[in-house]
Amino acid sequence: MELLRKWLGHPEDIYNLLRFKMGGYRAVMPRNIPVSWVGGAFLALYRYLNQTSRSFAAVIQALDGELRHAVCIFYLVLRALDTIEDDMTISLDVKVPMLHEFHSYLYQPEWKYMESKEKDRQVLEDFPTISMEFRNLSKVYQDVISDICHKMGVGMAEFLEKKVDSQHEWDKYCHYVAGLVGIGLSRLFSASELEDPIVGQDTELANSMGLFLQKTNIIRDYLEDQMEGREFWPKEVWSRYAKKLSDLAKPENIDMAVQCLNELITNALHHVPDVLTYLSRLKNQTVFNFCAIPQVMAIATLAACYNNKQVFRGVVKIRKGQAVTLMMDATNIQAVKAIMYQYVEEIYQKIPSTDPSSNKTQQVIASIRAMSLPSNPMASRHHYSPIYLSCAMLLAALSWQYLSTISKATEEYVQAGEN
């Protein structure tokens, strides 16, 4: 009954979940790729895509034209690289050269790696299939993928044996693991001619797209990372609040922990103006959806985490109904600006007057407000007619158990946005 109580507290969630299932998903969910669109080895690639991340497979398959195949291969190449980096059974004297040279394996038809113990090892064991289709791409796509793979491999190797100390190093680490992905994708968008050249050329904005998402994940995942022995919060920040990063999880340190949390969220919010500028340049609808949905999920996640002690006690996630609402609404720049405005206002209302970062938080929110103040506020996002709310509450009472088992495809797509 806990699920029912949650839904009764947010009846609009039930309405939006139903709206999503009854056709709202068509604005963002992909069409299935007909077999005739892909041949031979590409069928294997899409199978690997579904096996390694069915949610990202759904997002990628929504893209138009040849861009779909280029991004599919880009994802699988980076998944293979990431699998090498994650595999703790590979000694550093083997792993570091592999990371440095991985981009060259794209041009070696027979190269594969059969000794990985990671769950996604199939992308390494059948790397010849991936590399073959990579070499079948237009040279303009090959150059982008190879270049990003090289830079990312070097960056991963750099951070294998060192922790993130300064805020500069935090930005650098996030650049290697996420900013480069944003840059690579942007260059692919422009190479496909679905977007203007400036999208791929402006690497600063593309980098901010990745940094905003990665910092959000790092902030939200503090406790999970601590439990698994990983540390990604910058020492320059957390050392002002605790002797060890793990000390922030101790109940007696919760006030200082929340202040540290708020400072990092304020840091992440500085990327939002770049995100809005980047999204305002996009013309293709499938590319816009692909880029915008994760960004609005991120701002909603930061709003949920801000000044929230639960970050140090468990998992903080946005509600499923909230997530599908964001997915259906974030289909144009004005809607995204309205969403950003809504959530920075939510953060603003929670700023403690005694918080050491309060002035900086207010300043960055003011800059976001200036860019995102909606000229036509989306009242439908916040105000539902009594009949809709009544119907939603009735459906909650009568059908909550059915609704709790939303289709797997929907769950996975929502999870993609959250991650």
Side-chain angles (χ1 to χ4, degrees):
M1 295 297 291
E2 179 63 25
L3 182 59
L4 176 58
R5 283 193 292 271
K6 287 182 180 179
W7 276 344
L8 287 175
H10 299 277
E12 71 279 7
D13 284 0
I14 301 174
Y15 166 67
N16 285 318
L17 285 167
L18 285 171
R19 185 161 66 102
F20 186 85
K21 286 177 67 66
M22 296 176 67
Y25 65 88
R26 293 191 183 96
V28 289
M29 289 288 278
R31 53 201 175 275
N32 291 326
I33 296 182
V35 174
S36 60
W37 288 11
V38 293
F42 247 119
L43 290 174
L45 296 196
Y46 282 102
R47 184 171 67 253
Y48 293 148
L49 189 61
N50 277 280
Q51 290 171 350
T52 54
S53 179
R54 294 181 65 181
S55 51
F56 275 110
V59 178
I60 290 169
Q61 289 176 79
L63 293 169
D64 283 335
E66 64 182 13
L67 178 62
R68 182 187 305 113
H69 294 338
V71 174
C72 172
I73 292 170
F74 186 43
Y75 174 86
L76 291 175
V77 168
L78 296 188
R79 171 60 65 185
L81 179 66
D82 192 55
T83 301
I84 295 276
E85 194 266 345
D86 285 344
D87 195 332
M88 302 304 293
T89 68
I90 305 175
S91 62
L92 289 181
D93 60 332
V94 173
K95 182 183 292 187
V96 170
M98 285 181 71
L99 292 174
H100 277 278
E101 298 299 323
F102 197 85
H103 67 289
S104 68
Y105 303 153
L106 292 167
Y107 298 97
Q108 298 178 28
E110 303 302 321
W111 187 89
K112 58 185 174 181
Y113 187 74
M114 305 298 293
E115 298 175 31
S116 176
K117 302 298 188 292
E118 290 291 295
K119 62 180 176 63
D120 293 330
R121 59 185 177 273
Q122 68 267 29
V123 294
L124 292 171
E125 294 173 349
D126 193 21
F127 197 76
T129 298
I130 297 172
S131 67
M132 178 181 69
E133 290 304 325
F134 163 82
R135 293 188 299 276
N136 286 336
L137 290 172
S138 299
K139 186 176 185 301
V140 66
Y141 294 132
Q142 290 186 39
D143 290 345
V144 171
I145 295 171
S146 176
D147 180 53
I148 296 299
C149 184
H150 185 200
K151 291 174 179 175
M152 188 175 291
V154 171
M156 286 178 169
E158 179 181 338
F159 279 90
L160 277 177
E161 295 187 283
K162 76 174 185 179
K163 294 184 178 180
V164 178
D165 287 330
S166 67
Q167 293 187 66
H168 172 74
E169 285 181 331
W170 197 38
D171 281 355
K172 190 176 183 181
Y173 171 76
C174 292
H175 164 73
Y176 283 140
V177 300
L180 283 172
V181 178
I183 292 169
L185 286 169
S186 301
R187 290 169 61 188
L188 293 177
F189 298 156
S190 294
S192 72
E193 299 186 355
L194 293 176
E195 299 296 344
D196 291 334
I198 187 62
V199 172
Q201 293 167 357
D202 196 332
T203 57
E204 183 175 348
L205 293 189
N207 187 58
S208 280
M209 292 283 285
L211 263 60
F212 186 56
L213 299 181
Q214 186 66 21
K215 288 182 178 181
T216 298
N217 288 342
I218 288 173
I219 291 167
R220 179 198 62 194
D221 294 341
Y222 164 84
L223 194 60
E224 178 184 331
D225 286 338
Q226 280 294 301
M227 293 173 66
E228 297 187 12
R230 300 188 299 258
E231 293 190 354
F232 298 114
W233 284 25
K235 184 177 182 180
E236 179 184 344
V237 176
W238 64 254
S239 62
R240 292 198 288 268
Y241 301 92
K243 291 183 179 180
K244 296 186 297 183
L245 182 56
S246 59
D247 289 345
L248 295 178
K250 297 179 179 179
E252 63 267 26
N253 297 330
I254 191 62
D255 291 339
M256 297 296 281
V258 168
Q259 290 177 6
C260 181
L261 169 71
N262 291 347
E263 182 174 344
L264 290 181
I265 290 176
T266 300
N267 177 294
L269 289 174
H270 281 88
H271 298 292
V272 173
D274 279 354
V275 168
L276 292 174
T277 300
Y278 180 97
L279 293 174
S280 69
R281 290 176 173 172
L282 301 180
K283 301 184 302 181
N284 180 273
Q285 186 65 58
T286 67
V287 171
F288 187 91
N289 294 347
F290 181 93
C291 295
I293 291 172
Q295 302 295 332
V296 296
M297 296 284 191
I299 192 67
T301 298
L302 290 183
C305 289
Y306 186 81
N307 209 49
N308 188 349
K309 298 176 181 178
Q310 186 61 24
V311 172
F312 303 94
R313 298 170 177 167
V315 180
V316 175
K317 285 189 176 184
I318 60 177
R319 304 182 310 275
K320 287 293 188 285
Q322 186 182 2
V324 297
T325 301
L326 292 170
M327 288 163 55
M328 289 187 291
D329 286 348
T331 56
N332 62 78
I333 188 59
Q334 290 306 318
V336 170
K337 286 182 177 180
I339 292 168
M340 292 291 187
Y341 185 89
Q342 172 195 346
Y343 285 109
V344 296
E345 284 299 301
E346 186 177 312
I347 292 172
Y348 183 83
Q349 295 301 321
K350 295 192 290 186
I351 300 175
S353 59
T354 57
D355 190 273
S357 303
S358 60
N359 288 337
K360 290 182 179 179
T361 310
Q362 291 168 355
Q363 289 170 8
V364 70
I365 286 177
S367 67
I368 297 170
R369 280 173 171 164
M371 292 188 68
S372 62
L373 184 65
S375 55
N376 295 302
M378 300 191 324
S380 62
R381 284 186 45 76
H382 314 290
H383 305 292
Y384 296 88
S385 69
I387 188 168
Y388 279 142
L389 294 182
S390 297
C391 288
M393 293 180 73
L394 177 62
L395 284 164
L398 296 176
S399 309
W400 69 274
Q401 189 171 18
Y402 166 75
L403 289 172
S404 68
T405 57
I406 303 169
S407 69
K408 190 171 184 180
T410 302
E411 286 284 338
E412 287 169 345
Y413 197 88
V414 169
Q415 188 66 36
E418 291 176 349
N419 291 332

